[in-house]
Amino acid sequence: MEKVLDEKTLKQDALDVLKNNDLGKSTKPAPQLYPHQWSWDSAFIAIGLSHSNPSRALTELETLFDAQWKDGRVPHIVFNPNTKDYFPGPDRWNCAALSPAAPEKPATSGLIQPPIHAFAVKTVFDVAPELKDRVRALYPKLVRWHKYCLTERDPEKMGLITIYHPWESGTDNSPRWDSPLKGVKVGEVPPYTRRDTKHVNDPSERPSNEEYDRFLWLVECLKKDHYDDAKLYKTYPFLVKDALMTSIFTLSNHALIELAKQLDAPKEEVQMLEGWQKRAVDGLLEHSWNRQKMLALDLDMERGGAQVDVSTCAGLSPIVVPRLPAEIATKIKEQMFSDKFAGWSDLKFRVIPSTTPGTAGFHPRAYWRGPSWPVISWLYWIGLRQNGFEKEAKELRQQNLDLLEQPEAKFGEYFELTKGTQLGSADQSWTAAVALDWLAS
Ligand code: 9WN
């Protein structure tokens, strides 16, 4: 067996990945597959960079928030004008022409991704209090972002964030979306050429052409309604309350409340943030948490808010909810290390599968349908520690580091479960970033 990398080498390699993917004021998620700035990737990247260069870490988020829309949404992609090698690019989204809320420049997509940014800003601020003025300047933008999530994306006031597209979830091809997507009748999609499949070893690790047609049809529907939330809510064919997105919101919103206090924000504003926190936590526990399955499930709003019954890593997401009731935290921890997830007997490393092996929609190599994403293990490592499960957190960290220390792991985007083989892109920024945070902890 080939010798594994030592931690010092792993750290240097991780720093090199981030340096090579650095676009100046933001970082691309991967050298070729993802050549622009992605929203939640940048938050993880900032956390990874916080240990070596907190100022650059904050720049990452400042650049992202410079592209914030007037309605508060933070776009899932901010386009890098120096590359054309990505589809769908700025012309296909056409946001500035279609929506008065979109910035003229930079060009962005019209979707969102999980709001982990306030948590990242707080992480950077904790290690670099001297950045207070810059954090103060970002703070109101974070408040507007959270407001967007819990108003425009939750007109029912259920406390759960609605997504319009699997790309918003960050877990694009998860079986979570199979049933809601079935209800979408695909119309005429303008012609296009995929570029993503040429940047991976095996195109079957990426979504299929049929799935891509569906994704692009949804983009056409968003454009027809000018990315206007009120209109979309009436006519749009894919409205799903996302459990993972909402759990992440509570983690981040809790950090935002702490930031508000540190920055002496007005009392009423702190109370408003606390109100959102309560609403989101209650929403998750009342509507999404399924006691029998011991998983948080998404709600399909096109089917009267029915829970989508699948077993994926998103189901474990309430572990990141601050002040989660101990009884639920224990159930999630047990579930996480059961044979459905990190305790599955065929795993080479005891990391968290994106979908429970053998269940509906599972595929050992396909996108979000089985393989493990280190970034998800990292998120749940945070959650385990937050709930006092130190032993399990330590073990999860070590197993992920063992996986990443294989010389052929190369900071993969995701990994096959039984052999630990690297899949998707190599040199993925957020994988390097979470490795840096694990190594620093
Ligand atoms: C579409 C960049 C992004 C991540 C997502 C991941 C993947 C894009 C894609 O890559 O999504 O946004 O083309 O598959 O699913 O979580 O932010 O790393």
Side-chain angles (χ1 to χ4, degrees), residues 29 34 38 40-41 76 86 113 170 172 206 367-368 428 430:
Y34 307 120
W38 258 261
W40 77 324
D41 296 63
H76 104 290
Y86 182 80
Q113 273 189 329
D172 312 1
R206 293 282 306 167
Y367 215 52
W368 292 104
Q428 181 84 9
W430 66 8

Side-chain angles (χ1 to χ4, degrees), residues 325-400:
E327 174 225 347
I328 298 182
T330 303
K331 294 219 161 97
I332 296 181
K333 186 239 335 179
E334 285 166 8
Q335 175 84 294
M336 195 180 289
F337 294 96
S338 75
D339 59 1
K340 296 203 176 95
F341 292 98
W344 185 47
S345 56
D346 288 359
L347 285 176
K348 173 148 184 199
F349 299 96
R350 288 189 297 285
V351 295
I352 299 179
S354 50
T355 298
T356 295
T359 59
F362 173 79
H363 187 288
R365 297 173 72 86
Y367 215 52
W368 292 104
R369 290 182 174 273
S372 180
W373 265 251
V375 75
I376 296 291
S377 285
W378 181 87
L379 201 54
Y380 294 173
W381 169 75
I382 293 283
L384 289 168
R385 290 167 84 203
Q386 197 167 266
N387 285 285
F389 300 127
E390 285 298 336
K391 186 168 75 62
E392 290 80 1
K394 213 171 148 196
E395 175 66 6
L396 188 58
R397 167 188 177 275
Q398 195 54 54
Q399 290 289 325
N400 273 278

Side-chain angles (χ1 to χ4, degrees), residues 147-307:
K147 184 171 183 207
Y148 173 80
C149 290
L150 232 56
T151 52
E152 306 304 329
R153 294 304 186 101
D154 187 30
E156 309 86 349
K157 290 200 165 45
M158 286 172 80
L160 296 169
I161 301 170
T162 303
I163 60 161
Y164 300 150
H165 199 293
W167 284 339
E168 294 203 314
S169 72
T171 65
D172 312 1
N173 241 51
S174 171
R176 300 167 73 191
W177 319 122
D178 288 355
S179 145
L181 279 175
K182 264 197 203 127
V184 177
K185 210 171 150 284
V186 180
E188 188 145 342
V189 178
Y192 65 95
T193 309
R194 286 181 72 170
R195 292 176 187 265
D196 59 319
T197 38
K198 70 177 184 180
H199 295 307
V200 290
N201 293 331
D202 172 2
S204 74
E205 290 164 20
R206 293 282 306 167
S208 68
N209 286 342
E210 199 213 326
E211 283 158 344
Y212 237 69
D213 271 352
R214 227 163 250 275
F215 290 166
L216 288 164
W217 171 246
L218 287 178
V219 173
E220 292 308 310
C221 298
L222 288 163
K223 285 158 70 178
K224 184 177 73 53
D225 280 342
H226 295 246
Y227 301 102
D228 178 326
D229 297 286
K231 283 193 195 140
L232 288 166
Y233 237 82
K234 289 192 199 115
T235 60
Y236 192 70
F238 182 96
L239 297 171
V240 183
K241 296 279 182 194
D242 182 328
L244 173 66
M245 170 101 68
T246 308
S247 295
I248 289 178
F249 175 87
T250 68
L251 174 69
S252 234
N253 195 61
H254 181 76
L256 191 55
I257 294 170
E258 288 181 8
L259 272 179
K261 290 179 184 162
Q262 286 171 318
L263 297 170
D264 297 316
K267 217 163 122 203
E268 307 72 58
E269 194 159 277
V270 176
Q271 282 166 352
M272 178 179 74
L273 296 174
E274 286 170 345
W276 295 343
Q277 187 71 3
K278 181 169 173 0
R279 201 195 299 164
V281 174
D282 289 353
L284 269 170
L285 299 184
E286 273 171 36
H287 305 293
S288 168
W289 177 244
N290 184 309
R291 278 169 188 278
Q292 278 75 40
K293 313 257 173 195
M294 294 200 294
L295 291 170
L297 300 177
D298 308 304
L299 310 187
D300 187 347
M301 301 311 278
E302 307 283 352
R303 287 193 185 71
Q307 289 187 340

Side-chain angles (χ1 to χ4, degrees), residues 31-51:
Q32 285 157 331
L33 186 56
Y34 307 120
H36 305 284
Q37 178 175 33
W38 258 261
S39 167
W40 77 324
D41 296 63
S42 276
F44 292 106
I45 291 163
I47 291 169
L49 286 173
S50 68
H51 304 286

